[in-house]
DNA sequence: ATCCTCCCCTAC
DNA sequence: TAAGGTAGGGGAGGAT
């Protein structure tokens, strides 16, 4: 029998953390899981060939072509693609691997990507041995290799993606053709200027810079090829000491992004949101995890009866007791889990560093030695600068507001570092380091003082991605009611899981965490509650390597002692303001009335604080996310001397943002330029090397008449905005381009969504061809801002009532109504959530239509274009007033849910509501209308039958709603088919 | 009132 | 040296 140990004791044995008891059982389960999530050429997909039959690859690190492309190729040609290495992986594809990585690999078949490409070209599987990547011969230098890869990537990119020559070069831009030549002079200029500016510029720098420029000039495809070969020696080109690398260098962007943790973090976050969406789309609705869980539950019955329950629960005493006591009571409410990897970057990095176990460890770029003092920097000065500015802002906020506030000290991060200590940030530190007060995001210089024994390890972005995939794959084997928060964290609606497997939350957590540990070598913590807030707070309490269920009965007590800064949404600023009011924990917060909180902190913020203080949170999980913006920004290494340099960089950013838009299958109707500008009196040399220092932030936006993903347009708009601001290029410290008001294109065409997808896909091409180019009139732009030319006649009514009742006639016309509705979503029940999301899609599509019509003021030409082209050949839209259904223009780019999803939703909707809510009726009607437009009448028929059947025993309001839906659907039917649809009726 | 733009803040 | 990105919520204040 297992002896119960004290928590502390158990935590000390960090090797197994109680997981040992799972033994080989887990291993077996994991392997099943792997199979489940292997991406394979589906039976549904048509193969182009079977070249790669029996081959399963895993792509390690950066390759050309990239992992995505390789995945596509594999699937197309009968192969298998793994997101991470498994036993089934037959080959690893890599262009370049550090020795340390090679050693861990389970197979010797490390092959260059050319193997795949050439095999496809050859139409047959070539001998991979000719493509082996022999990398065990010399002591490699990861950084150099890495940079080399980056620059070859860059070359490819320019080669393939840059626009053809910019004809009206009068308007400033560096066109592709002359770029190489121009850049030379450019660089010389720069170096001269630099020597004046800063006195540590060496010849070597210029030389290196030039050589690199030459290297990355788009030359010929053969150049690309030669660079791809990993054997070519990178060393001599890079030996010069690059003492000042700025965004002027053409390869800066990719190098910076390659090293930026925050960039990787964001990218991976977006990636996993998309991953969840894709899994949902492809889901067959089977969740093997549930079976595993049930199996386990069956086999572990004895253990529970022996009263060793608490051994399952690595937890804290009081709550454990409460949890145990309440365990038998079935929880009628929803159970939300929040799960988060423990000190993620460190955990991943330590997988292969047993030598560092037990040591305080941090992931950072700093190597552990003190940084060099640079001339022209003065941290004292910059610190003082920040302090003063903070005071000024505080006064601004306080003026006009009464009340004597408590004096609260505001610390700057620079306070704790001396002149020569590293300002490299710590991405993540383990719990040993945290004991000493080290925190994520802290400067290394500060951390090493708090924790002199602190060890550092480098970043391993590939590793994070692999582990994240495993995390998401494992969770997805239980449910797809997942909201991805980041690469190491998500919310999960566990209600179904617990019900189906008949397990408690903590049983599930134990099993799950063991599984995760086994698969990834990293620990995770899980928190449960009846809403996301509670779950999140529970995770915080559970950390590290623990789990905790905050039960409804305990919420009140629990919240009392939560510090305000521990509430999600309360960061430095709000915490400071709350502290200034004498509010430090939720108990204090609870004493304030809703009204006073709103008065002090604003409407929404006040309300959220009021609710969160009580552990309330009615937010539904956003399981089906749709991004609202795409941006690329760099606030590091920005040191321009000429406007031309600045504009060249903006051009690169425009490229970058476009490639991201394409990937996300969106186009944007608004371009926003974001700049950071050295604050007046702020030192020219920043405290942090190449940092932005104290800055003013400025953003300017333009609305376009039509959505775009054209780098040329975006570049021009952005530059126009930049010029308008008349900022000295040398004061720029940050530049970003953001695209807003997105219009989403059709889904990836994954074999799943059949007819509809095809239909939409067809239309899409048409729409894109007809895309209007605005601003083709070169640099002179008229009235670009304050674009909202919505004339009253175009936005007929705007009252909420009509918006909900008069469905079909105006389903998509009123901006005001639509937006009002979207806001209501947040207060809605979870059941309706999916509907709302559907709804959002329509809105986006819709909104663009409205805007297109209402944008008349901008350019007559562009407006004509917009109205005319997508509808070409359709019943003419004389004016929008006379056309009651603008949606008639096929909803080109709207992903739809599948029939079975729709059915589920309808069922859930009807069973969950006593009476239908008008807005839901609107949403449903919209959905049906779109099905009709997509000529998907079978589905419409099925849905009406279903709805009718479900409503037979419902009251009058439901039946009336049904009538409304039918009526409005028939209107659309008349327009599209000139006939009514036969649907069941109530008497 | 409700919008839009330009911020600021928060989170990872 | 150092790699301070990015998406989204929300508020202030002006325009309508
Ligand atoms: N300022 C920050 C915060 C986080 N991260 C990265 C590194 C973290 O490992 C990862 C996940 O962030 P978490 O907030 O989940 O922090 P950890 O996982 O490191 O620690 P824990 O979750 O155990 O508190 O994001 C970062 O680079 N910089
Ligand atoms: Mg974490
Ligand atoms: Mg996290």
């Amino acid at each position: 029998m297992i002896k119960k140990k004290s928590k502390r004791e158990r935590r000390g044995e960090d090797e197994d953390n109680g997981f040992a008891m799972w033994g080989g059982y887990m291993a077996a389960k994991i392997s099943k899981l792997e199979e489940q999530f292997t991406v394979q050429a589906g039976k549904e997909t048509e193969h182009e060939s079977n070249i790669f039959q029996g081959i399963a690859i895993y792509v390690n690190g950066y390759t050309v072509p990239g992992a995505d492309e390789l995945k596509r190729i594999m699937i197309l040609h009968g192969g298998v693609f793994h997101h991470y290495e498994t036993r089934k992986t037959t080959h690893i594809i890599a262009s370049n691997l550090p020795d340390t990585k090679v050693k861990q690999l389970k197979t010797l078949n490390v092959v260059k990507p050319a193997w795949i490409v050439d095999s496809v070209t050859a139409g047959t599987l070539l001998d991979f041995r000719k493509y082996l990547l022999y990398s065990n011969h010399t002591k490699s230098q990861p950084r150099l290799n890495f940079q080399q890869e980056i620059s070859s990537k860059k070359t490819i990119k320019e080669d393939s993606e840059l626009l053809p020559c910019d004809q009206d070069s009068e308007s400033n831009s560096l066109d592709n053709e002359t770029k190489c030549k121009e850049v030379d002079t450019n660089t010389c200029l720069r170096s001269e200027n630099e020597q004046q500016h800063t006195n540590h510029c060496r010849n070597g720098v210029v030389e290196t810079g030039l050589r690199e420029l030459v290297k990355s000039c788009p030359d010929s495809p053969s150049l690309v090829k030669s660079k791809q070969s990993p054997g070519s020696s990178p060393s001599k080109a890079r030996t010069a000491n690059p003492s000042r690398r700025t965004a002027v260098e053409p390869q800066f962007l990719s190098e910076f992004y390659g090293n930026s943790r925050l960039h990787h973090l964001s990218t991976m976050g977006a990636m996993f949101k998309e991953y969840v969406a894709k899994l949902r789309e492809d889901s067959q609705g089977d969740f093997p995890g549930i079976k595993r869980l049930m199996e386990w539950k069956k086999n572990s019955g004895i253990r529970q009866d022996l009263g060793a329950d608490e051994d399952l629960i690595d937890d804290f005493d009081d709550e454990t007791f409460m949890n145990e006591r309440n365990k038998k009571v079935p929880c009628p409410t929803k159970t939300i889990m929040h799960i988060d990897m423990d000190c993620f970057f460190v955990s991943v990095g330590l997988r292969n560093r047993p030598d560092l176990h037990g040591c305080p460890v941090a992931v950072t770029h700093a190597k552990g030695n003190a940084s060099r003092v640079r001339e022209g920097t003065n941290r004292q000065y910059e610190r003082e600068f920040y302090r003063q500015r903070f005071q000024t802002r505080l006064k601004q906020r306080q003026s006009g507001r009464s009340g004597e506030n408590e004096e609260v000290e505001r610390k700057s991060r620079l306070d704790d570092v001396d002149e020569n200590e590293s300002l490299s940030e710590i991405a993540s530190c383990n719990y040993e380091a945290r004991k000493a007060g080290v925190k994520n995001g802290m400067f290394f210089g500060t951390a090493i003082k708090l924790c002199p024994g602190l060890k550092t390890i480098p970043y391993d972005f590939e590793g994070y991605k692999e582990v994240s995939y495993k995390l998401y794959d494992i969770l997805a084997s239980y449910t797809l009611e997942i909201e991805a928060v980041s690469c190491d964290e998500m919310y999960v609606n566990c209600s179904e899981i617990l019900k189906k497997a008949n397990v408690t939350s903590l049983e599930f957590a134990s099993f799950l965490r063991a599984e995760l540990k086994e698969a990834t070598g990293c620990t995770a913590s899980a928190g449960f509650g009846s809403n996301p807030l509670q779950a999140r707070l529970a995770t915080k309490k559970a950390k590290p390597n623990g789990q905790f269920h905050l039960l409804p009965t305990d919420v009140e007590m629990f919240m009392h002692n939560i510090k305000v800064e521990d509430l999600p949404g309360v960061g430095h600023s709000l915490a400071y303001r709350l502290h200034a009011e004498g509010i430090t924990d939720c108990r204090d917060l609870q004493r304030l009335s809703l009204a006073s909180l709103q008065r002090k902190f604003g409407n929404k913020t006040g309300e959220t604080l009021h609710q969160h203080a009580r552990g309330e949170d009615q937010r539904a999980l956003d399981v089906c996310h749709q991004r609202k913006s795409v941006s690329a920004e760099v606030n590091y290494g920005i040191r321009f001397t000429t406007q031309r340099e600045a504009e060249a960089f903006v051009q690169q950013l425009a490229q970058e943002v476009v490639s991201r838009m394409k990937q996300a299958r969106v186009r944007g109707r608004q371009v926003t330029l974001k700049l950071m500008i050295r604050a007046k009196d702020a030192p020219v040399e920043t405290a942090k090397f190449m940092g932005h220092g104290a800055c003013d932030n400025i953003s300017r936006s333009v609305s376009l008449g039509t959505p775009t993903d054209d780098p040329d347009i975006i570049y021009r708009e952005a530059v126009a905005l930049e010029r308008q601001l008349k900022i000295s290029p040398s004061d720029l410290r940050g530049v970003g381009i953001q695209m807003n008001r997105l219009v989403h294109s059709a889904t990836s065409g994954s074999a799943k969504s059949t007819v509809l997808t095809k239909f939409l896909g067809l239309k899409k091409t048409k729409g894109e061809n007809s895309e209007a180019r605005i601003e083709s009139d070169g640099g002179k732009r008229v009235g670009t801002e304050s674009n909202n030319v919505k004339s009253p006649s175009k936005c007929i009514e705007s009252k909420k009532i009509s918006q909900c009742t008069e469905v079909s006639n105006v389903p998509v016309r009123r901006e005001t109504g639509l937006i009002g509705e979207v806001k209501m979503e947040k207060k809605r029940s979870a059941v309706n959530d999916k509907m709302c999301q559907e709804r959002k899609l329509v809105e986006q599509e819709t909104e663009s239509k409205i805007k297109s019509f209402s944008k008349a003021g901008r350019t007559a030409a562009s407006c004509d274009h917009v109205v005319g082209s997508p509808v070409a050949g359709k019943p003419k839209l004389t004016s929008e007033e006379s056309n009651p259904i603008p949606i008639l223009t096929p909803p080109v780019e709207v992903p739809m849910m599948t029939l079975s999803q729709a059915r589920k939703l309808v069922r859930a909707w009807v069973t969950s509501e006593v009476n239908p809510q008008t807005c839901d009726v609107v949403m449903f009607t919209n959905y049906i209308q779109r099905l009709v437009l997509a000529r998907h009448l079978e589905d419409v028929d099925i849905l009406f039958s279903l709805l009718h059947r479900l409503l037979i025993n419902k009251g009058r309001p439901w039946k009336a709603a049904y009538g409304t839906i039918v009526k409005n659907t028939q209107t659309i039917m008349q327009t599209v088919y000139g006939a009514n649809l036969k649907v069941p009726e109530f008497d």
Side-chain angles (χ1 to χ4, degrees), chain A residues 671-743:
Chain A
V671 183
T672 302
L673 179 78
K674 303 165 80 160
L675 299 180
M676 292 187 81
I677 294 146
R678 182 175 65 86
K680 189 171 167 299
D681 299 333
V684 175
E685 285 295 338
T686 55
K688 193 192 197 71
F689 176 66
M690 286 293 134
H692 55 58
C695 282
D696 295 320
N697 299 326
I698 296 189
S699 79
R700 286 297 115 102
S701 52
V702 204
S703 287
L704 309 176
T706 190
T708 191
D709 59 1
D710 180 333
D712 197 23
I713 294 177
I714 295 169
Y715 164 67
R716 290 229 259 256
E717 294 294 347
V719 164
L721 291 171
E722 195 266 349
R723 290 185 179 183
Q724 207 176 290
L725 289 168
K726 304 219 192 311
I727 288 154
S728 162
S730 60
D731 284 338
L732 281 177
R733 288 293 178 272
V735 189
I737 295 178
Q738 182 175 51
M739 297 300 296
N740 306 308
R741 305 214 216 156
L742 302 185
V743 175

Side-chain angles (χ1 to χ4, degrees), chain A residues 261-262 265 340-346 425-429 431 434 440-442 459 486-489 525 543-544:
Chain A
R261 78 184 202 280
L262 291 174
L265 204 57
D340 186 302
M341 303 299 290
D342 299 320
C343 49
F344 186 50
F345 285 12
V346 172
E425 280 179 42
I426 287 174
S428 179
C429 58
Y431 283 78
R434 289 183 205 196
N440 287 0
M442 191 177 258
Y459 288 92
S486 78
C487 62
D488 92 321
E489 181 178 347
S525 300
K543 267 179 179 296

Side-chain angles (χ1 to χ4, degrees), chain A residues 408-514:
Chain A
V408 185
E409 180 88 15
R410 165 88 177 201
K411 286 195 75 172
S412 155
R413 286 207 304 161
L414 282 175
D415 282 352
D416 298 318
V417 264
D418 287 339
E419 220 44 54
N420 64 344
E421 287 161 347
S422 170
L423 294 182
S424 175
E425 280 179 42
I426 287 174
S428 179
C429 58
N430 65 1
Y431 283 78
E432 283 80 354
R434 289 183 205 196
K435 275 184 219 151
V438 180
K439 293 197 170 71
N440 287 0
M442 191 177 258
F443 291 135
F444 179 72
T446 314
I448 195 74
K449 280 205 279 190
L450 291 168
C451 180
L454 187 63
K455 298 273 189 296
T456 71
I457 57 175
Y459 288 92
D460 174 13
F461 295 115
E462 279 302 311
Y464 310 145
K465 203 189 326 184
E466 275 172 51
V467 171
S468 295
Y469 263 117
K470 292 184 186 177
L471 169 69
Y472 276 87
D473 285 348
I474 287 176
L475 263 298
S477 73
Y478 293 97
T479 181
L480 286 172
E481 286 192 69
I482 293 175
E483 174 177 326
V485 175
S486 78
C487 62
D488 92 321
E489 181 178 347
M490 67 183 95
Y491 291 101
V492 181
N493 183 351
C494 290
S495 315
E496 282 296 302
I497 303 172
L498 305 185
K499 202 164 71 190
K500 283 198 237 163
N502 187 31
V503 292
T504 64
S505 52
L506 296 178
E507 285 169 336
F508 172 52
S510 300
F511 185 74
L512 173 67
R513 294 198 303 116

Side-chain angles (χ1 to χ4, degrees), chain A residues 9-24:
Chain A
E9 227 179 308
R10 251 185 297 145
R11 204 154 283 167
E13 317 165 345
D14 69 324
E15 253 318 286
D16 64 35
N17 275 299
F19 288 145
M21 76 167 92
W22 309 102

Side-chain angles (χ1 to χ4, degrees), chain A residues 97-108 110 135-136:
Chain A
L97 282 182
D99 282 349
T100 47
K101 267 198 162 174
V102 175
K103 286 202 199 90
Q104 321 156 5
L105 298 175
K106 291 162 192 140
T107 171
L108 292 175
V110 182
S135 47
N136 49 348

